[in-house]
Amino acid sequence: MLLLGIDVGTSSIKVSVVDAANCSILATAQYPDTESEILTLKHGWAEQSPDMWWEHVQKAVARCNVNNNYNPKDIAAIGIAYQMHGLVIIDEDGNSLRNSIIWCDSRAVETGDAALAAIGTEHALEHLLNSPGNFTASKLAWVKANEPEVYAKIAKVMLPGDYIAFKLTGEVTTSISALSEGIFWDFKENELSKDVMNHYGFDERVIPTINPVFSTHGHLSNPVATLLGLKAGIPVSYKSGDQPNNALSLNVTEPGEVAATAGTSGVIYGVTDKLFCDPQSRVNTFAHVNHSIEKQRLGVLLCINGTGSMNRWTKTLAGSDLSYPQMNQAAAVVPPGSEGLSVLPFGNGAERMLNNRIAGAHLRNIDLNLHTSGHIFRAVQEGIAFSFRYGLDILRENGMQPSIIRAGLSNLFLSEVFTQSFVDITGVPVELHESDGSYGAAIGAGIGAGIYASAGDAFSYKKPLKTVEPSSVSLEDYYQDWKKLLVVQLAN
């Protein structure tokens, strides 16, 4: 019995096929080989085509079995992870009406701020656990105000994973977790938020059927089964935003457990059983994958938009002839602190942890006679690590005190420079695991299909690849200098 996991990322689609008997990965693939296009029609905007995602899903699934490592007809369930907060809208015929306004798009900041003022800050935080901010509901309100002819044709509103599940099954569903990440859910009343729906003037008919995360969200249709070479009728039994899914893939499901990721964006994600909100909405609280009305499990998410994207931009400009491992090697020969070079990695839209301000990316204190590309590579990775420390301090202000953080051995955590800098500046050891989004989605599919009783059951065998402890190197002075640069930039 096999499980198929699909991760709808910003950069690419990744899929994995997992043997349900021992949770081992039989095959994995991604498409495309280069990063998917993000359309930036105006400063601060970011869009992608939902139909591009679907095309790439098909090609990734085909590529996954190019070596015939498994029988596709043995796949028993499908799980989906997806980039959070994106807006997908379809008409009555199931056609997407416009490009998706994705997570790093900043156009709806003012729309969300106006909603917060109208609903009332205290009331909004008590019920929504977040400001309406720049999330999915506010993006939908932007479409209503600026593209009324498009808005009038909307049959259903979806998150990116809902759309891929719809393309697989022809059925439209969502979950409390998905609605909470879009800021449509009232945690105090345990229902669709009347405050948000009424303020924005949304009709409840556009909201899909609400199912648990671990449940059947439709069955693979005959035409799509033929297209993908799979068995018709198998369930899509799990859908989750990428960060809750990343936490699941690391077996972070219970209060006090914390996960981190440093892909296109960077995230620290902790689980709590308390209704939690940051008074300034610098971190956000959403329903975790195992949340229910009877048993609260909430994920507290600290997001940094420009981590892997900052490293990728650096490669394009300063390391186009190098691989990422070669960049990491060049960074490793530069001493900690990058000999005074400092990087603010905030060039990917409005940052929630900076109160929804666009700070921009900056390279500071360049010495033309001293600094090399290796210094730039290290300063970028240290700057990203410092941004994680800045965010973790916000979580600490709000009562979260992690003693260990779990992360997948992937993306920036493949760099010893970044990982050690992260550990040294936060003071928290990191457990590194073999894990990624498509693997978590496959395991989620197994839980949703009843193959595993729980996440604990699925991950009972799993051990960390290694644990990185704080070293004797102190980065605190470098961090304080970095923080002063950030304060000056935010004041401008």
Side-chain angles (χ1 to χ4, degrees), residues 78-94:
I78 300 172
I80 300 171
Y82 59 88
Q83 49 174 291
M84 296 174 72
H85 315 305
L87 171 68
V88 181
I89 50 179
I90 62 169
D91 63 18
E92 292 287 354
D93 296 322

Side-chain angles (χ1 to χ4, degrees), residues 304-384:
I304 307 153
N305 289 353
T307 53
S309 58
M310 182 75 203
N311 205 38
R312 183 264 308 156
W313 182 88
T314 305
K315 184 180 188 303
T316 300
L317 265 68
S320 58
D321 58 338
L322 302 176
S323 65
Y324 284 113
Q326 288 171 325
M327 287 172 59
N328 296 338
Q329 291 168 7
V333 300
V334 174
S338 304
E339 296 191 290
L341 195 64
S342 191
V343 169
L344 300 178
F346 302 116
N348 198 20
E351 295 282 354
R352 291 195 291 280
M353 76 171 186
L354 302 179
N355 301 104
N356 270 331
R357 284 177 285 185
I358 300 177
H362 302 269
L363 186 65
R364 298 292 185 91
N365 303 326
I366 302 168
D367 186 328
L368 300 177
N369 298 310
L370 172 63
H371 294 139
T372 66
S373 58
H375 288 83
I376 296 173
F377 301 152
R378 185 174 192 111
V380 165
Q381 294 191 24
E382 288 181 337
I384 294 167

Side-chain angles (χ1 to χ4, degrees), residues 17-93:
V17 172
V18 171
D19 186 337
N22 56 19
C23 296
S24 64
I25 299 175
L26 297 181
T28 188
Q30 69 180 47
Y31 190 90
D33 296 319
T34 56
E35 294 190 11
S36 298
E37 182 181 14
I38 296 177
L39 302 172
T40 306
L41 303 179
K42 293 184 180 180
H43 178 65
W45 288 22
E47 300 182 359
Q48 287 185 323
S49 166
D51 297 320
M52 176 191 72
W53 299 333
W54 174 233
E55 177 187 350
H56 291 177
V57 165
Q58 297 171 57
K59 291 181 177 179
V61 170
R63 179 178 283 185
C64 194
N65 200 30
V66 70
N67 294 322
N68 296 314
N69 290 338
Y70 59 90
N71 182 353
K73 301 295 185 182
D74 290 337
I75 291 173
I78 300 172
I80 300 171
Y82 59 88
Q83 49 174 291
M84 296 174 72
H85 315 305
L87 171 68
V88 181
I89 50 179
I90 62 169
D91 63 18
E92 292 287 354
D93 296 322

Side-chain angles (χ1 to χ4, degrees), residues 17 60 65 71 76 91 101 142 162 190 266 269 405 412 432 484:
V17 172
N65 200 30
N71 182 353
D91 63 18
I101 304 175
W142 184 94
D162 298 331
N190 286 313
Y269 186 99
I405 293 173
L412 277 166
L432 292 171
K484 289 174 185 176

